[in-house]
Amino acid sequence: AAVFPTGDAVWLSEPSAGVTRWAERDAAEVVGVVAAGFLGRDTSPETEDEPWVLSPDGTFSTLEIASVLRDGNSSPFRFAALGAQTLFVAFDGLAMDLWRSDGTAAGTVRAEGDRVLHPLYGWAEVAGGTFVVAGRPASRFDLGESALYFVDATTLRARRLDSNVRVALASPISVGSKVVFQGCGVEGCEPWVSDGTVAGTHVLADLVPGTQ
């Protein structure tokens, strides 16, 4: 089954029953699938921008992030799959940070482990976890501070993979259980590969020797 929003409702598409109107929701965006149902967010400027979950019986539950620290909204964005959970960036009243959710309020928490830069620019899901590219570009032609992270689907912890390389601000390409991406380090900008460990993150090939 799949769900998609149009106008003032969320629709359900099933191979056996076709497309049916499932639930009422203004300006909705469905962004992920979690154990408790479908994860989404409101996109209307008139509504509080918080993540919500749509359960199998067609009811919505709002996952309040910002309410515990301030009045307002958490403005969740940049959603990525993590097994049966969903990763996203949200504002908790103090700072933007990486969060994860299983579709329940109790299971919507910050991702543990290394602090992830923001915003997120790309990700790739592989067996065992999700690779995330994040950074703060200095300009259109300068990557500034950027890094590759791996969020383990079992421990649910984020791990920064290499502090000595700047990563192109785009989604890495998954190749089996690894990813290939553009990294800029002492060898210049070359193809890199990672298996989700620090030791397994390295230059794939120095195609043009030198630093340029």
Side-chain angles (χ1 to χ4, degrees):
V3 295
F4 57 93
T6 58
D8 59 355
V10 175
W11 298 75
L12 174 67
S13 177
E14 298 177 293
S16 59
V19 178
T20 56
R21 191 184 184 96
W22 191 13
E24 304 297 320
R25 193 71 171 184
D26 292 333
E29 178 184 4
V30 178
V31 296
V33 179
V34 291
F38 296 92
L39 190 71
R41 67 170 184 166
D42 289 327
T43 56
S44 170
E46 288 78 26
T47 60
E48 289 194 358
D49 191 3
E50 293 284 355
W52 46 254
V53 64
L54 177 59
S55 61
D57 63 3
T59 59
F60 287 92
S61 300
T62 300
L63 306 176
E64 297 283 352
I65 291 176
S67 61
V68 295
L69 293 177
R70 68 178 190 119
D71 293 329
N73 58 69
S74 61
S75 301
F77 69 107
R78 292 288 186 180
F79 291 80
L82 177 64
Q85 302 212 10
T86 295
L87 296 171
F88 59 93
V89 173
F91 183 67
D92 65 1
L94 297 175
M96 300 298 292
D97 213 340
L98 183 67
W99 290 68
R100 59 177 175 82
S101 177
D102 63 1
T104 67
T108 302
V109 297
R110 284 187 185 85
E112 297 178 325
D114 293 338
R115 187 72 180 267
V116 177
L117 297 170
H118 67 84
L120 304 187
Y121 280 89
W123 51 81
E125 185 181 14
V126 298
T130 298
F131 288 89
V132 174
V133 173
R136 301 187 182 97
S139 68
R140 179 180 177 184
F141 303 104
D142 187 346
L143 294 178
E145 187 179 8
S146 59
L148 180 71
Y149 302 82
F150 183 71
V151 186
D152 191 288
T154 301
T155 65
L156 302 176
R157 296 182 66 87
R159 178 169 59 243
R160 184 165 179 166
L161 297 176
D162 195 306
S163 60
N164 298 317
V165 60
R166 294 181 299 164
V167 181
L169 299 177
S171 294
I173 304 300
S174 59
V175 181
S177 60
K178 301 179 181 180
V179 292
V180 176
F181 60 98
Q182 183 195 80
C184 297
V186 296
E187 301 86 357
C189 294
E190 297 287 355
W192 282 58
V193 64
S194 179
D195 63 0
T197 67
V198 174
T201 302
H202 53 80
V203 174
L204 179 61
D206 191 357
L207 302 180
V208 180
T211 59
Q212 299 297 320

